[in-house]
Amino acid sequence: DGFANGTTINGLTSQATFTLSSVTSTGYVFDYSLTNTTSGGLDSRVSSFAFNVDPTITGATSTGAFSYTTLNSNYPNGIGTVDVCFKGGFSGSCAGNSGGVLTGDTGMGTMTLSFASAPSSITLSDFFDRYQSITGAGPVSSASGTGTITSSSSSGGTQVPEPGMIGILGLGLAGLGMVRTRRRQTGSLTAAA
């Protein structure tokens, strides 16, 4: 939803999808996709999105439509401080930047959340986005939105193994294959004797 000065502005909407693509020794890497679904005679530009992270992140990077990041910044319209903000344009804060995604368009990219050491799990919460260049809403030209999670595979989902575990699994499977081949060779020699 979108709101400015405590008033909801019907029609300001967007949808974001975050897909965990890998876990590194110090971070979590996500593919993201954000679609500006503003409707009802309004047009807007989603210039940034933000959320909070538990445990505390030490850094963030991003590519694609929202390639600029800011940590521990104030989000507009009374939201307050957020842990990380991903922006379409360069600025020192989460408000008043350029770039982003226009009504009906989708912006995609990859974002990395860095930690002092990779935690076994993380929680993303308190999702927000920033609407700018709004037309069709009277005198309102910028607003913020509060997100809700509509589906999540965080509980009962498939855990992503650490990179070292994939190597160990590969060695184990190769070893099993060698043992099996050896047994077949021994069995065929015995049968021939």
Side-chain angles (χ1 to χ4, degrees), residues 3 47-52 69-87 91-97 126 128-130 132 143-145:
F3 60 91
S47 61
S48 69
F49 64 88
F51 50 81
N52 291 319
T69 62
T70 300
L71 298 181
N72 301 314
S73 183
N74 186 48
Y75 218 70
N77 290 319
I79 291 172
T81 302
V82 293
D83 290 342
V84 63
C85 175
F86 297 89
K87 307 173 292 185
S91 72
S93 71
C94 292
N97 57 68
D126 306 319
F128 304 103
D129 61 1
R130 178 79 171 146
Q132 293 186 298
S144 295

Side-chain angles (χ1 to χ4, degrees), residues 3 29 40 43 48 81 103 109 115 123 139 143 146 165 174 192:
F3 60 91
V29 181
D43 280 313
S48 69
T81 302
T103 300
F115 302 86
T123 301
T146 303
M165 292 303 294

